[in-house]
Amino acid sequence: MSNENITTIHEFDFNLICEFFLNIPRQGPGSPEVTLKALSFIDNLTDQSVIADIGCGTGGQTMVMAQHTPGHISGFDIFPAFIDRFNDNARKLNVQNRVKGIVRSMENLPFKDEELDLIWSEGAIYNIGFERGFTEWRKFLKPGGYIAVTETSWFTEQRPAEIEKYCKPHFPEINTISHKVAQIQKAGYMPVASFILPTTCWTDHYFTPLIKAQEVFLEKYAGNKTAEEFIALQNKDIAMYNTYKDFYGYVFYIAKKVEY
Ligand code: SAH
């Protein structure tokens, strides 16, 4: 689910939006390959590890993690329909005993201090804010625990005015990779890795299923202004990304909690 939709979400019917995003395998750019690449930087996970996937959506990335990591994973999302689908997906993969979806806001997570080995959050930390998320969630991590998130970032120091203007209201915290890494370090972490997600994470893995879902959705809600406007905004996102993908996109940031 892209930020453009979030900033204008009040204008839409939440149920309509939920219904739309339930019909696609992931609610933001990403891919199984990229999830595994990020996971490759994380060591020391065991059967006893406790992992949180924050803003998990229907669990596209969580299920990939579940198949490649030991330990218990809790997925958190505010939309109950996403969590229902998440738990269905866990049952289908027969991992329901160690992978559970919970309806909960990322601003109010149910953990004690130093309980988590790993915090995961793909395409969702912007909902609480990048700096705020890194700062507030740190206490939940064990010393030596990891955090891995994706966040919209600038790839260059200078950008065409049109994309600068388009992104700023939608991604108020958008900044360069070096700025984000400095924020991570200031928040008390060791930056372990950061890498740009390939464009296929947007096109093949996100836009292609999105466009397919749009057809079904527009047919069902033909004449519904809200639905049409919602899809028009998505198409604007897609057009902007296709034009300006050299200048911005998602970056995976992986960091480790260090004690001082
Ligand atoms: N991680 C998933 C979903 C990304 S979309 C993926 O990559 O496919 C962002 C998700 O954050 C949505 O599922 C949305 O419902 C959720 N979200 C938004 N605000 C939230 C909040 N305050 N607490 C928890 N989840 C939230």
Side-chain angles (χ1 to χ4, degrees):
M1 202 182 284
S2 74
N3 245 354
E4 286 85 294
N5 303 326
I6 293 290
T7 50
T8 49
I9 211 162
H10 56 276
E11 295 164 20
F12 294 112
D13 178 333
F14 277 91
N15 292 329
L16 214 60
I17 293 170
C18 256
E19 181 190 324
F20 178 84
F21 280 101
L22 271 176
N23 290 322
I24 54 175
R26 47 181 320 127
Q27 288 75 45
S31 74
E33 293 75 22
V34 154
T35 296
L36 293 180
K37 181 169 173 171
L39 210 48
S40 74
F41 291 100
I42 289 140
D43 48 31
N44 295 336
L45 292 177
T46 69
D47 291 349
Q48 302 308 311
S49 295
V50 186
I51 301 167
D53 184 355
I54 303 176
C56 58
T58 58
Q61 70 294 318
T62 331
M63 301 306 143
V64 173
M65 287 168 68
Q67 290 171 289
H68 293 88
T69 51
H72 292 260
I73 310 177
S74 309
F76 297 93
D77 205 281
I78 38 163
F79 281 135
F82 287 177
I83 291 297
D84 287 345
R85 181 63 60 86
F86 178 108
N87 286 322
D88 287 346
N89 289 338
R91 271 190 294 274
K92 275 186 198 141
L93 290 172
N94 201 24
V95 291
Q96 69 275 17
N97 292 337
R98 59 183 193 91
V99 180
K100 291 196 191 335
I102 297 157
V103 179
R104 187 104 179 190
S105 169
M106 61 176 74
E107 298 188 38
N108 181 26
L109 293 167
F111 297 109
K112 296 194 277 291
D113 288 2
E114 303 193 353
E115 196 177 338
L116 296 175
D117 294 276
L118 172 61
I119 292 175
W120 204 266
S121 186
E122 290 195 35
I125 193 170
Y126 67 85
N127 288 295
I128 190 169
F130 186 83
E131 245 187 318
R132 186 178 159 202
F134 269 87
T135 305
E136 285 190 13
W137 297 343
R138 186 179 181 278
K139 60 180 177 294
F140 299 132
L141 283 175
K142 292 176 186 163
Y146 285 88
I147 178 166
V149 311
T150 57
E151 165 85 341
T152 313
S153 310
W154 294 128
F155 298 160
T156 57
E157 201 58 38
Q158 305 286 324
R159 279 86 47 180
E162 189 185 22
I163 191 59
E164 185 101 32
K165 198 164 155 239
Y166 187 74
C167 281
K168 267 280 153 65
H170 301 314
F171 313 107
E173 281 189 279
I174 189 167
N175 218 309
T176 56
I177 298 171
S178 53
H179 184 92
K180 296 276 178 193
V181 170
Q183 285 179 323
I184 291 170
Q185 202 163 345
K186 277 203 196 96
Y189 299 86
M190 175 205 299
V192 171
S194 53
F195 62 89
I196 293 174
L197 272 63
T199 52
T200 51
C201 288
W202 292 71
T203 53
D204 300 357
H205 292 279
Y206 186 52
F207 294 155
T208 302
L210 196 81
I211 289 163
K212 254 202 195 135
Q214 286 181 350
E215 285 167 21
V216 179
F217 187 77
L218 284 178
E219 206 168 294
K220 182 168 174 189
Y221 293 104
N224 179 323
K225 279 266 160 310
T226 302
E228 283 169 4
E229 202 186 322
F230 172 57
I231 299 302
L233 277 169
Q234 283 183 356
N235 289 335
K236 178 81 178 157
D237 284 0
I238 295 172
M240 290 307 265
Y241 180 76
N242 286 332
T243 307
Y244 294 112
K245 56 180 176 290
D246 287 346
F247 299 97
Y248 77 104
Y250 268 15
V251 174
F252 234 119
Y253 296 96
I254 299 122
K256 188 172 182 164
K257 176 176 174 178
V258 284
E259 288 300 348
Y260 46 87

